[in-house]
Amino acid sequence: MYDKERGLYIAHCANGALSITGKMANRHGLIAGATGTGKTVTLQVMAETFCQAGVPCFMADMKGDLSGISQVGKMSGFIEKRLPEFEIENPQFQSCPVRLYDVFGEQGHPMRATVSQMGPQLLSRLLGLNDTQDGVLNIVFRVADERGLLILDLKDLRSMLDYVSQHAKEYTSKYGNVSSASVGAIQRALLQLEAQGADRFFGEPAFDIQDLLATVPSSPSSAASPSSAAVPDGSPSGRMGVMSVLAADKLMLQPKLYSTFLLWLLSELYSTLPEVGDLPLPKLVFFFDEAHMLFDGTSKALLDKIEQVIRLIRSKGVGIYFITQSPTDIPENILGQLGNRVQHALRAYTPKDQKAVKTAADTFRANPSFKTDEAIMNLETGEALVSLLDEKGAPTMVERAKILFPLSQIGAITEGQRLDLIKQSPIYGKYDTPIDRESAYEQLMAETQQQLAEQQEEARAVEEAKVGSKPAKEEKKKSGIMSKVWKAVLTAVTSTLATILGTWVSDKVSGKTTKSRTSAKQRVVKNATSAATRTITKELTRDILGNLVK
């Protein structure tokens, strides 16, 4: 709850109200505690408090409960019993302006990113690649940049992998070894990613980070009311921050996709937003639920990048609040940057649990009124240990406090309410229809088709040259056969005439007369015909046998 007197009021202890210092809200925070101790309600209370102050928030809704922030809350026996503790007489329940998102586009507006925006480092983490495969992926992105090819979706990336693999010799000498085994491993990882539905996340239109910074005019229910301490005074700007709620019940089933997606959002915010320093209130608060997913199985290089982003993004006016079961889920270098802390109950059934309780207790500035480690194990639902940064940025002494109740609905909304919120949203239709413009896949496909067409044209020209030379060869062949036939006929005629002439001369000398059944003319014709027939038969036989051998 936000009001001018108490500011970002989130909890109440024996010493009074506990409020987040506005200009220290970008110094990040932590909400920790075992399952069922009230972390989600605490997140909702903090988010609607920032909303009333005019600060937009982004949060992942793991179970559907946070969607209730879009509806007006109502009195319950539990809330009524707590009113005296918070010195509240007549709470005025109200809703927050909400935009629903869903990576898969099923329960909200789609949120997409291009493969190029994701970059090789985050994509390598998402695919679970080793160092060698990560190197090949970096080469693929480098080649795409050099050639001016856009990698927008997974089919673009597949095409680039195939292209680099086919030209491996060319790029190996320039960038290092590109093995077919590494390319194959990346392709298989992409196949698994597509099976999880991630292909719907990559593409265009890409999500515009500026949509997370939206505000709307304050509703009448958030106007100042001096007669009731339970009515928010309204933000200094007269506007309310829009709550961007990501449906993550399905997304969290793929932990790497979930954590990599949120890390991409943080990276985009860091690279896009200008430096603003410490503002009276942050420009955006980012709630990262199930924070341990961000750090599990993450390489040291990427952990260093996460630490850098978290350390520097506060100067962009962005506060990050991690939600997890135990502070030990967060790396020490990052845990040390989380100044505003709310610790719900932890259970200590095993030595490991006891160590986690002690670690959590040691992160607080001790309060002499109670032992922190004992208090952590005895907190009731909705009760927490709270330590916030003061005006100078120093952590306050830890207090045992009760978290305020939300003014919005606790619990999930109906399917009809969800559809109404989506259709009434100012960005309805902006991201709903995918766009598939010309990119690496289309350009490489066009190149392949052009090369294929050129090869077909060359083959056609060669074939035409072969076909054009065939008649000449046939004519030459026929001419050769006729020449041999005429030669054989001439030889036969000459031989026959010589024989006839010799017989006639012999008869004249000897005075004998040689009788013949056939005339000279008939003999010449017969021998000539036989010679021609033999020659033709011989050549045809050779031609047939020659083709069989070929």
Side-chain angles (χ1 to χ4, degrees):
M1 182 184 299
Y2 178 83
D3 61 45
K4 294 177 181 177
E5 181 182 347
R6 291 173 292 191
L8 300 167
Y9 176 35
I10 63 166
H12 203 90
C13 68
N15 296 324
L18 294 177
S19 302
I20 298 174
T21 304
K23 67 178 183 180
M24 293 297 161
N26 66 335
R27 300 298 177 93
H28 314 316
L30 173 70
I31 303 172
T35 301
T37 56
K39 297 191 300 295
T40 301
V41 173
T42 299
L43 190 162
Q44 186 170 339
V45 168
M46 293 178 69
E48 70 177 21
T49 301
F50 282 116
C51 167
Q52 294 157 8
V55 180
C57 299
F58 174 87
M59 64 200 81
D61 190 4
M62 313 303 284
K63 299 174 289 186
D65 297 351
L66 288 175
S67 59
I69 201 171
S70 64
Q71 306 299 314
V72 178
K74 60 182 179 180
M75 183 65 73
S76 67
F78 178 77
I79 294 176
E80 191 173 7
K81 187 172 65 174
R82 284 200 164 186
L83 291 180
E85 300 174 9
F86 299 129
E87 300 176 357
I88 294 174
E89 297 177 1
N90 183 29
Q92 181 176 328
F93 294 96
Q94 65 179 66
S95 61
C96 297
V98 169
R99 292 178 185 175
L100 300 174
Y101 294 99
D102 183 4
V103 166
F104 303 107
E106 296 171 356
Q107 301 180 67
H109 305 294
M111 297 186 82
R112 298 186 190 88
T114 66
V115 175
S116 294
Q117 283 179 321
M118 179 71 72
Q121 189 175 32
L122 289 180
L123 194 60
S124 178
R125 177 185 187 272
L126 180 59
L127 296 174
L129 305 182
N130 60 32
D131 291 343
T132 302
Q133 295 156 2
D134 177 65
V136 171
L137 190 63
N138 276 276
I139 291 173
V140 168
F141 273 77
R142 182 65 176 271
V143 171
D145 287 341
E146 288 182 349
R147 293 208 53 195
L149 298 173
L150 296 174
I151 308 179
L152 303 179
D153 51 29
L154 292 186
K155 72 176 185 299
D156 290 328
L157 182 56
R158 284 189 175 281
S159 297
M160 281 303 306
L161 284 164
D162 185 54
Y163 173 80
V164 171
S165 178
Q166 291 177 5
H167 298 79
K169 290 184 178 179
E170 175 185 346
Y171 293 115
T172 294
S173 60
K174 189 174 182 180
Y175 299 117
N177 188 40
V178 179
S179 70
S180 58
S182 294
V183 172
I186 299 172
Q187 293 279 30
R188 289 192 296 274
L190 288 174
L191 189 63
Q192 293 177 355
L193 199 62
E194 287 175 337
Q196 296 173 358
D199 54 325
R200 284 179 284 178
F201 166 62
F202 290 105
E204 289 187 317
F207 183 70
D208 183 0
I209 291 297
Q210 296 297 325
D211 283 336
L212 294 180
L213 306 178
T215 60
V216 297
S218 297
S219 62
S221 63
S222 64
S225 176
S227 62
S228 174
V231 181
D233 285 346
S235 72
S237 63
R239 301 183 69 83
M240 298 180 72
V242 172
M243 303 289 98
S244 298
V245 180
L246 173 69
D249 52 343
K250 183 178 178 181
L251 182 61
M252 70 176 295
L253 298 178
Q254 286 89 45
K256 281 193 175 179
L257 179 58
Y258 166 72
S259 57
T260 305
F261 167 70
L262 294 190
L263 183 55
W264 167 75
L265 275 181
L266 286 177
S267 300
E268 284 294 295
L269 287 167
Y270 174 69
S271 61
T272 304
L273 298 180
E275 296 278 344
V276 293
D278 291 330
L279 300 172
L281 288 168
K283 295 176 66 175
L284 174 70
V285 172
F286 195 103
F287 291 98
F288 203 132
D289 205 354
E290 299 295 340
H292 65 277
M293 293 184 181
L294 177 61
F295 307 106
D296 290 345
T298 302
S299 66
K300 186 181 183 306
L302 190 53
L303 277 176
D304 291 342
K305 180 179 179 180
I306 296 171
E307 181 186 351
Q308 180 188 37
V309 169
I310 293 172
R311 186 175 66 252
L312 299 178
I313 202 171
R314 68 179 182 84
S315 65
K316 308 289 182 110
V318 177
I320 303 171
Y321 288 72
F322 292 103
I323 299 91
T324 189
Q325 292 198 11
S326 172
T328 57
D329 295 335
I330 312 294
E332 287 188 8
N333 290 344
I334 295 174
L335 185 63
Q337 299 181 48
L338 311 181
N340 301 296
R341 301 192 183 187
V342 178
Q343 176 67 59
H344 288 278
L346 289 175
R347 313 302 178 208
Y349 300 117
T350 66
K352 183 179 179 180
D353 293 339
Q354 293 170 359
K355 184 178 180 181
V357 169
K358 187 178 186 307
T359 301
D362 289 343
T363 61
F364 288 104
R365 179 181 168 188
N367 188 328
S369 302
F370 58 88
K371 291 184 177 180
T372 308
D373 54 349
E374 292 181 1
I376 289 176
M377 293 186 288
N378 295 306
L379 293 169
E380 299 177 0
T381 300
E383 193 177 18
L385 297 183
V386 180
S387 177
L388 307 170
L389 297 178
D390 61 19
E391 291 284 343
K392 296 181 180 180
T396 59
M397 187 181 299
V398 64
E399 296 285 356
R400 185 167 181 167
K402 291 188 176 180
I403 304 298
L404 287 180
F405 54 87
L407 297 177
S408 55
Q409 174 182 306
I410 298 176
I413 59 177
T414 65
E415 194 62 30
Q417 291 171 326
R418 181 179 293 275
L419 290 174
D420 288 342
L421 283 171
I422 294 171
K423 291 180 179 179
Q424 294 168 9
S425 170
I427 62 170
Y428 179 63
K430 181 177 180 179
Y431 301 111
D432 296 81
T433 305
I435 298 173
D436 188 13
R437 62 187 174 110
E438 185 178 82
S439 49
Y441 173 79
E442 288 79 13
Q443 290 175 281
L444 291 175
M445 181 66 73
E447 287 184 10
T448 302
Q449 290 175 346
Q450 183 178 354
Q451 291 172 0
L452 183 61
E454 290 175 355
Q455 291 172 0
Q456 290 176 342
E457 185 63 32
E458 289 178 4
R460 191 181 299 109
V462 171
E463 188 64 26
E464 288 176 353
K466 289 181 179 179
V467 171
S469 64
K470 190 173 181 179
K473 287 183 178 180
E474 290 294 330
E475 187 64 32
K476 183 178 180 181
K477 185 176 180 181
K478 288 179 181 178
S479 176
I481 292 173
M482 292 304 298
S483 176
K484 289 179 181 180
V485 170
W486 283 113
K487 185 176 180 181
V489 169
L490 184 61
T491 301
V493 169
T494 303
S495 177
T496 302
L497 289 174
T499 301
I500 293 171
L501 182 60
T503 301
W504 182 79
V505 171
S506 176
D507 288 346
K508 288 293 183 182
V509 173
S510 63
K512 297 179 180 180
T513 301
T514 302
K515 294 182 179 181
S516 176
R517 294 180 180 179
T518 57
S519 64
K521 182 178 179 181
Q522 289 176 328
R523 289 175 64 187
V524 170
V525 171
K526 180 181 178 182
N527 290 342
T529 303
S530 297
T533 302
R534 286 195 304 271
T535 303
I536 292 172
T537 302
K538 181 179 177 182
E539 291 300 319
L540 290 176
T541 302
R542 283 181 177 177
D543 189 44
I544 293 170
L545 292 176
N547 287 333
L548 288 175
V549 171
K550 289 178 181 177

